[in-house]
């Protein structure tokens, strides 16, 4: 079965091998050397002042970012399931969130953010996705971050980049906390969260000692600056991350991102060529997202007959979307085969006669 869901993504053979050695203890020079290498590579890749690794899934880092960098009131952007989660976290911690809500295919506007910040001087943090995975939507994250800082220079900008980190270069100049997770573009097992921090963010942590206990970012930062973790590190996943970051550096980050972009462009064209509707108005490169009334039946056929496990939607769109992963080291042939399977499914559903247009267009554009 081809795992083509936009997280968890399949773990490549070289990463599985990097994680298959004897267990190492986290309080050893051997692990500290790996940990140091990984943090340096992440800081370089993400242009960040500091990087903290947490033993949790991405949501843990979302929660830690809100508890630490929002002390009064949060402005959240909800353009899908994960934006909704930011609002829920802010509510859970009494941050009285002001939520800007959008249809899942619609990018938020900079104007709405400007208005919300101008009218609400009590807002001290803004949180949003870079890619909202619910609808495969790319938000104008850089423009929103820049506008927020222009209006309120000391605001904290929290960006959930869980399906953007390792997908495309991210402009982090105006972002204070950039969140990533292991099971997306880095193609690792779930269980490791990444937080890239700005100088403004580390200054706050150094000044006030952080919030809470397990997810106390000041405690973590103090330890991680010394190449160790506050609690037991997820040693195995970090060994895998070391292998992935070495792979990206060897390939060149630009090439890694360019390959993702090329697969995405070819995929979008191919899907439209077989009459499918691209769901998001601003498609993120992390996945290929199509809307179809019969999406559930098409997906079932892809899975049972062609061995392709693509994701559906969530909530009201559960049976209306098909989401095909494009993060990490997905092979062009895997995308081509997934599109081929979808075209075959359309034939069976009586929507369109199969003629191989999907994979033909994909190959033509990808290898152009
Ligand atoms: C996967 C994902 C998350 C994190 O979910 P976890 O299950 O906690 O790893 C958060 N935001 C986005 C946009 C995601 O795609």
């Amino acid at each position: 079965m081809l795992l083509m869901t936009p997280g968890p993504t399949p773990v490549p053979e070289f990463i599985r091998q990097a994680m298959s050695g004897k267990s190492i203890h986290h309080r050893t020079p051997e692990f500290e050397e790996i940990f140091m290498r990984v943090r340096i590579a992440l800081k370089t890749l993400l242009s960040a002042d500091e990087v903290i690794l947490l033993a949790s899934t991405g949501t843990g880092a979302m929660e830690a970012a809100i508890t630490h960098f929002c002390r009064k009131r949060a402005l959240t952007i909800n353009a899908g399931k994960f934006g909704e989660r930011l609002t829920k976290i802010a509510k859970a911690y009494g941050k009285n969130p002001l939520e800007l809500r959008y249809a899942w295919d619609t990018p938020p506007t900079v104007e709405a953010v400007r208005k919300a910040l101008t009218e609400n001087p009590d807002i001290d943090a803004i949180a949003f996705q870079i890619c909202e995975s619910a609808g495969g939507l790319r938000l104008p994250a850089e423009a929103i971050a820049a506008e927020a800082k222009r209006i309120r220079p000391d605001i904290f900008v929290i960006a959930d980049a869980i399906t953007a980190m390792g997908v495309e270069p991210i402009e982090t100049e105006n972002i204070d906390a950039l969140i990533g997770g292991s099971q997306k573009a880095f193609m690792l097992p779930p269980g490791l969260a990444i937080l890239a921090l700005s100088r403004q963010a580390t200054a706050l942590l150094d000044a006030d000692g952080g919030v809470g206990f397990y997810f106390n970012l000041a405690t973590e930062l103090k330890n991680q600056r010394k190449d160790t973790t506050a609690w037991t590190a997820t040693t195995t996943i970090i060994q895998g991350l070391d292998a992935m970051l070495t792979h990206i550096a060897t390939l060149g980050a630009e090439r890694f991102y360019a390959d993702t972009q090329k697969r995405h462009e070819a995929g979008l064209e191919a899907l439209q060529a077989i009459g499918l509707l691209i769901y998001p108005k601003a498609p993120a490169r992390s996945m290929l997202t199509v809307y179809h009334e019969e999406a559930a039946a098409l997906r079932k056929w892809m899975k049972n007959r062609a061995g392709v496990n693509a994701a559906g939607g969530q909530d009201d769109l559960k049976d209306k979307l098909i989401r095909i992963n494009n993060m990490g080291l997905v092979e062009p042939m895997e995308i081509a085969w997934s599109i081929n399977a979808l075209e075959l499914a359309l034939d069976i559903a009586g929507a369109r006669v199969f003629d191989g247009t999907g994979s033909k267009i994909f190959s033509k554009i990808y290898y152009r």
Side-chain angles (χ1 to χ4, degrees), residues 214-226:
Y214 180 77
F215 283 120
N216 187 310
L217 298 180
T219 312
E220 280 299 344
L221 184 60
K222 227 164 72 188
N223 281 277
Q224 300 201 8
R225 277 182 178 136
K226 290 184 265 175

Side-chain angles (χ1 to χ4, degrees), residues 30-319:
E30 187 189 2
F31 177 71
E32 286 167 10
E33 190 189 315
I34 297 168
F35 195 60
M36 179 178 73
R37 193 161 59 229
V38 163
R39 287 207 326 119
I40 290 172
L42 282 172
K43 279 191 237 180
T44 308
L45 187 71
L46 306 170
S47 317
D49 195 47
E50 268 299 347
V51 164
I52 292 177
L53 300 179
L54 298 170
S56 82
T57 67
T59 306
M62 290 162 79
E63 181 165 322
I66 301 247
T67 59
H68 284 79
F69 303 121
C70 176
R71 300 298 172 91
K72 285 189 240 147
R73 188 175 188 204
L75 174 61
T76 57
I77 299 178
N78 172 355
K81 206 69 192 153
F82 294 98
E84 178 187 76
R85 187 175 301 178
L86 288 168
T87 306
K88 282 183 175 169
I89 294 170
K91 272 196 187 139
Y93 284 97
K95 310 291 184 188
N96 183 26
L98 174 62
E99 182 186 73
L100 300 176
R101 201 161 174 185
Y102 292 86
W104 292 11
D105 63 347
T106 305
T109 63
V110 172
E111 289 69 33
V113 170
R114 181 186 307 143
K115 186 165 177 286
L117 289 178
T118 313
E119 289 172 1
N120 299 278
D122 53 341
I123 290 169
D124 62 346
I126 173 170
F128 51 83
Q129 272 66 38
I130 292 184
C131 164
E132 169 53 80
S133 311
L137 179 73
R138 177 62 158 86
L139 280 76
E142 293 85 348
I144 289 172
E147 185 65 6
K149 289 282 186 188
R150 193 186 65 79
I151 296 171
R152 200 158 298 155
D154 60 350
I155 198 169
F156 281 92
V157 175
I158 300 167
D160 167 1
I162 297 179
T163 48
M165 190 180 285
V167 171
E168 52 174 313
I170 302 164
E171 176 57 71
T172 47
E173 198 187 325
N174 297 305
I175 296 172
D176 297 294
L178 184 80
I179 302 160
S182 55
Q183 81 275 27
K184 308 282 167 95
F186 292 135
M187 306 193 96
L188 297 158
L192 180 77
I194 299 161
L195 254 175
L197 302 175
S198 70
R199 207 168 293 273
Q200 183 182 322
T202 57
L204 177 74
L205 299 179
D206 288 335
D208 80 352
V211 177
F213 189 76
Y214 180 77
F215 283 120
N216 187 310
L217 298 180
T219 312
E220 280 299 344
L221 184 60
K222 227 164 72 188
N223 281 277
Q224 300 201 8
R225 277 182 178 136
K226 290 184 265 175
D227 304 319
T228 190
T229 49
W231 329 116
T232 307
T234 54
T235 47
T236 311
I237 306 178
I238 290 166
Q239 284 172 298
L241 181 56
D242 186 28
M244 183 56 161
L245 292 170
T246 304
H247 181 90
I248 295 171
T250 308
L251 189 68
E254 272 135 64
R255 168 76 194 282
F256 181 56
Y257 295 139
D259 286 350
T260 301
Q261 184 176 7
K262 225 161 58 154
R263 287 191 311 265
H264 190 241
E265 283 170 5
L268 290 178
E269 289 287 330
L271 291 167
Q272 287 171 287
I274 54 172
L276 289 168
L277 179 71
I278 305 299
Y279 176 70
K281 287 173 188 149
R285 291 179 199 163
S286 53
M287 62 194 80
L288 293 158
T289 310
V290 296
Y291 180 93
H292 199 283
E293 285 298 327
E294 303 298 325
L298 296 173
R299 217 160 58 77
K300 202 163 155 192
W301 194 95
M302 288 170 76
K303 191 169 179 179
N304 296 340
R305 302 283 295 280
V308 176
N309 183 6
Q314 291 161 295
D315 291 356
D316 293 348
L317 292 166
K318 188 171 177 289
D319 294 333

